[in-house]
Amino acid sequence: VHLRFLPDMEESVTRRFALLNELRLAQELGQLVLLYQPIIELRTRAVVGAEALVYWDHPRHGRITPATFIPVAEEHGLIESLGEWVLDEAVRQSATWRARGLQPLRLAVNVSCAQFRDASRLRGAVDRVLRRHGYPAHELELEITERQIMRDPQSSVDTMLALSDLGVAMALDDFGTGYSSLSHLREFPLRKLKIDRSFTDQIDRDPGGLAIVRAVVELGRNLGMQVVAEGVEREAQVAPLLACDCAQVQGFLFGAPMSAADFERRLLRPALA
Ligand code: C2E
Ligand code: MG
Ligand code: MG
């Protein structure tokens, strides 16, 4: 066991270091790409929004998922600049869809807690991007994970208020995994709760999962928030979600994250086809 342990450790440290150095350059080398995942109104199955997700097209390793490199970017102070690029590119893309008369969409962009900590920089960046592309603030939604805001709830409230002031909406991502106390939830100016896929996962098989989704939908309604169920993969999950009155969903069943060109084709397709 020990003989294997050491070389593996060494390899992963070396690889992590190499990845970090390449990641520092990825943005200026144009290796970052945004994919868009449709957000669906469940009753009609119409596309009502798009979540932008950043991927890294690595010259040797191929397309790398954000779950791998976002934590590295956060840890090494790269996320502020990366996040500002994402925001600008996503809003630019969505503004061209609007200008071409495609159906109006809510655009969701993920932000990380390092961006959230510096309220004035984030507010400034969002304001600049909206002006640059002439994009309506109320159609932009910033997603932050529940885990991340709970690191510093009070400063998160302040940042959310600064953003709400611009007209931008907030969504709480991965809800149910970050131990937020309900008293905090009430203080956050949120438009949306996104139920983590771990709860949606077994909704058609496990009564516990169903009970949690039902409770969160109810909670959201009473707090005046919209609720989205993440990670819907199977048709069998649809009926229980409709029965819970969950209005919006996202997941592979309705579309995996896709290129801007594919998303555009998806927009032109009739809703129930
Ligand atoms: P997230 O914001 O919760 O995004 C949803 C993740 O779930 C995406 O993973 C998506 O591909 C995946 N997903 C969607 N539908 C399904 C499904 O039906 N089944 C399963 N198994 N998975 C599904 P992805 O693209 O790997 O992104 C991972 C996380 O990385 C995101 O989670 C988000 O927190 C973070 N992230 C992505 N882009 C950005 C960004 O631009 N900035 C920041 N700060 N974080 C980002
Ligand atoms: Mg998200
Ligand atoms: Mg999520």
mmCIF file of all heavy atoms in Angstrom, residues 51 53 110 143 145 172-175 194-197 230-231 250, ligand 3:
data_model
loop_
_atom_site.group_PDB
_atom_site.id
_atom_site.type_symbol
_atom_site.label_atom_id
_atom_site.label_comp_id
_atom_site.label_asym_id
_atom_site.label_seq_id
_atom_site.Cartn_x
_atom_site.Cartn_y
_atom_site.Cartn_z
ATOM 1 N N GLU A 51 -28.427 28.490 -18.518
ATOM 2 C CA GLU A 51 -27.335 28.634 -17.553
ATOM 3 C C GLU A 51 -26.012 28.486 -18.291
ATOM 4 O O GLU A 51 -25.784 27.502 -18.984
ATOM 5 C CB GLU A 51 -27.425 27.585 -16.437
ATOM 6 C CG GLU A 51 -26.226 27.711 -15.477
ATOM 7 C CD GLU A 51 -26.301 26.794 -14.253
ATOM 8 O OE1 GLU A 51 -27.248 25.993 -14.144
ATOM 9 O OE2 GLU A 51 -25.379 26.901 -13.410
ATOM 10 N N LEU A 53 -22.150 27.744 -18.438
ATOM 11 C CA LEU A 53 -21.175 26.954 -17.681
ATOM 12 C C LEU A 53 -19.844 27.015 -18.424
ATOM 13 O O LEU A 53 -19.801 26.838 -19.642
ATOM 14 C CB LEU A 53 -21.661 25.507 -17.560
ATOM 15 C CG LEU A 53 -22.961 25.334 -16.764
ATOM 16 C CD1 LEU A 53 -23.718 24.092 -17.195
ATOM 17 C CD2 LEU A 53 -22.685 25.300 -15.257
ATOM 18 N N ASN A 110 -22.960 31.623 -13.088
ATOM 19 C CA ASN A 110 -22.469 31.233 -11.758
ATOM 20 C C ASN A 110 -21.388 32.194 -11.289
ATOM 21 O O ASN A 110 -20.519 32.590 -12.059
ATOM 22 C CB ASN A 110 -21.871 29.823 -11.821
ATOM 23 C CG ASN A 110 -22.923 28.777 -12.147
ATOM 24 O OD1 ASN A 110 -23.713 28.400 -11.287
ATOM 25 N ND2 ASN A 110 -22.955 28.345 -13.398
ATOM 26 N N GLU A 143 -25.955 33.035 -9.954
ATOM 27 C CA GLU A 143 -26.120 31.869 -9.090
ATOM 28 C C GLU A 143 -24.935 31.750 -8.153
ATOM 29 O O GLU A 143 -23.791 31.823 -8.565
ATOM 30 C CB GLU A 143 -26.194 30.588 -9.937
ATOM 31 C CG GLU A 143 -27.397 30.546 -10.843
ATOM 32 C CD GLU A 143 -27.590 29.175 -11.487
ATOM 33 O OE1 GLU A 143 -26.766 28.266 -11.269
ATOM 34 O OE2 GLU A 143 -28.581 29.040 -12.225
ATOM 35 N N THR A 145 -23.654 29.202 -4.809
ATOM 36 C CA THR A 145 -24.059 27.989 -4.094
ATOM 37 C C THR A 145 -24.321 28.301 -2.625
ATOM 38 O O THR A 145 -23.733 29.214 -2.041
ATOM 39 C CB THR A 145 -23.015 26.846 -4.175
ATOM 40 O OG1 THR A 145 -21.848 27.243 -3.465
ATOM 41 C CG2 THR A 145 -22.658 26.520 -5.608
ATOM 42 N N LEU A 172 -30.091 30.815 -5.494
ATOM 43 C CA LEU A 172 -29.298 29.999 -4.569
ATOM 44 C C LEU A 172 -29.142 28.605 -5.161
ATOM 45 O O LEU A 172 -30.124 27.873 -5.319
ATOM 46 C CB LEU A 172 -29.995 29.954 -3.199
ATOM 47 C CG LEU A 172 -29.159 29.495 -2.017
ATOM 48 C CD1 LEU A 172 -27.872 30.304 -1.895
ATOM 49 C CD2 LEU A 172 -29.954 29.586 -0.729
ATOM 50 N N ASP A 173 -27.891 28.271 -5.523
ATOM 51 C CA ASP A 173 -27.580 27.034 -6.244
ATOM 52 C C ASP A 173 -27.327 25.887 -5.266
ATOM 53 O O ASP A 173 -26.923 26.122 -4.125
ATOM 54 C CB ASP A 173 -26.308 27.292 -7.068
ATOM 55 C CG ASP A 173 -26.235 26.441 -8.321
ATOM 56 O OD1 ASP A 173 -26.995 25.463 -8.432
ATOM 57 O OD2 ASP A 173 -25.401 26.761 -9.183
ATOM 58 N N ASP A 174 -27.551 24.666 -5.720
ATOM 59 C CA ASP A 174 -27.277 23.462 -4.919
ATOM 60 C C ASP A 174 -27.987 23.531 -3.571
ATOM 61 O O ASP A 174 -27.433 23.135 -2.533
ATOM 62 C CB ASP A 174 -25.762 23.269 -4.695
ATOM 63 C CG ASP A 174 -24.989 23.153 -6.007
ATOM 64 O OD1 ASP A 174 -25.618 23.044 -7.069
ATOM 65 O OD2 ASP A 174 -23.746 23.180 -5.959
ATOM 66 N N PHE A 175 -29.204 24.033 -3.572
ATOM 67 C CA PHE A 175 -29.917 24.235 -2.314
ATOM 68 C C PHE A 175 -30.175 22.892 -1.632
ATOM 69 O O PHE A 175 -30.603 21.927 -2.256
ATOM 70 C CB PHE A 175 -31.236 24.972 -2.548
ATOM 71 C CG PHE A 175 -31.975 25.255 -1.269
ATOM 72 C CD1 PHE A 175 -31.480 26.174 -0.365
ATOM 73 C CD2 PHE A 175 -33.138 24.569 -0.951
ATOM 74 C CE1 PHE A 175 -32.132 26.430 0.828
ATOM 75 C CE2 PHE A 175 -33.806 24.820 0.236
ATOM 76 C CZ PHE A 175 -33.293 25.752 1.131
ATOM 77 N N LYS A 194 -32.503 26.748 -6.302
ATOM 78 C CA LYS A 194 -32.264 25.609 -7.182
ATOM 79 C C LYS A 194 -32.020 24.372 -6.340
ATOM 80 O O LYS A 194 -31.003 24.283 -5.638
ATOM 81 C CB LYS A 194 -31.074 25.889 -8.111
ATOM 82 C CG LYS A 194 -31.336 27.095 -9.009
ATOM 83 C CD LYS A 194 -30.251 27.285 -10.039
ATOM 84 C CE LYS A 194 -30.384 26.293 -11.187
ATOM 85 N NZ LYS A 194 -29.442 26.628 -12.297
ATOM 86 N N ILE A 195 -32.962 23.440 -6.382
ATOM 87 C CA ILE A 195 -32.864 22.242 -5.545
ATOM 88 C C ILE A 195 -31.771 21.329 -6.077
ATOM 89 O O ILE A 195 -31.789 20.948 -7.254
ATOM 90 C CB ILE A 195 -34.190 21.444 -5.525
ATOM 91 C CG1 ILE A 195 -35.358 22.358 -5.173
ATOM 92 C CG2 ILE A 195 -34.095 20.273 -4.558
ATOM 93 C CD1 ILE A 195 -36.695 21.629 -5.156
ATOM 94 N N ASP A 196 -30.853 20.971 -5.223
ATOM 95 C CA ASP A 196 -29.725 20.149 -5.639
ATOM 96 C C ASP A 196 -30.183 18.815 -6.216
ATOM 97 O O ASP A 196 -31.180 18.234 -5.788
ATOM 98 C CB ASP A 196 -28.801 19.887 -4.454
ATOM 99 C CG ASP A 196 -27.493 19.261 -4.912
ATOM 100 O OD1 ASP A 196 -26.714 19.975 -5.574
ATOM 101 O OD2 ASP A 196 -27.267 18.058 -4.646
ATOM 102 N N ARG A 197 -29.388 18.349 -7.165
ATOM 103 C CA ARG A 197 -29.780 17.122 -7.870
ATOM 104 C C ARG A 197 -29.827 15.902 -6.962
ATOM 105 O O ARG A 197 -30.518 14.931 -7.264
ATOM 106 C CB ARG A 197 -28.862 16.966 -9.078
ATOM 107 C CG ARG A 197 -27.951 15.847 -9.124
ATOM 108 C CD ARG A 197 -27.304 15.681 -10.473
ATOM 109 N NE ARG A 197 -25.878 15.433 -10.283
ATOM 110 C CZ ARG A 197 -24.937 16.331 -10.498
ATOM 111 N NH1 ARG A 197 -25.248 17.511 -10.952
ATOM 112 N NH2 ARG A 197 -23.689 16.045 -10.286
ATOM 113 N N GLU A 230 -32.903 20.710 -10.155
ATOM 114 C CA GLU A 230 -31.737 20.425 -10.996
ATOM 115 C C GLU A 230 -31.592 18.925 -11.212
ATOM 116 O O GLU A 230 -32.031 18.119 -10.387
ATOM 117 C CB GLU A 230 -30.460 20.888 -10.281
ATOM 118 C CG GLU A 230 -30.324 22.358 -10.069
ATOM 119 C CD GLU A 230 -28.892 22.702 -9.619
ATOM 120 O OE1 GLU A 230 -28.622 22.671 -8.408
ATOM 121 O OE2 GLU A 230 -28.072 22.979 -10.497
ATOM 122 N N GLY A 231 -30.937 18.568 -12.311
ATOM 123 C CA GLY A 231 -30.523 17.180 -12.515
ATOM 124 C C GLY A 231 -31.641 16.217 -12.880
ATOM 125 O O GLY A 231 -31.620 15.061 -12.455
ATOM 126 N N GLN A 250 -34.206 21.570 -14.820
ATOM 127 C CA GLN A 250 -32.997 21.597 -15.615
ATOM 128 C C GLN A 250 -32.425 20.184 -15.537
ATOM 129 O O GLN A 250 -32.530 19.548 -14.496
ATOM 130 C CB GLN A 250 -32.037 22.581 -14.940
ATOM 131 C CG GLN A 250 -31.062 23.274 -15.820
ATOM 132 C CD GLN A 250 -30.217 24.291 -15.038
ATOM 133 O OE1 GLN A 250 -30.691 24.880 -14.061
ATOM 134 N NE2 GLN A 250 -28.991 24.470 -15.454
HETATM 135 MG MG MG B 3 -26.360 23.296 -8.933
#
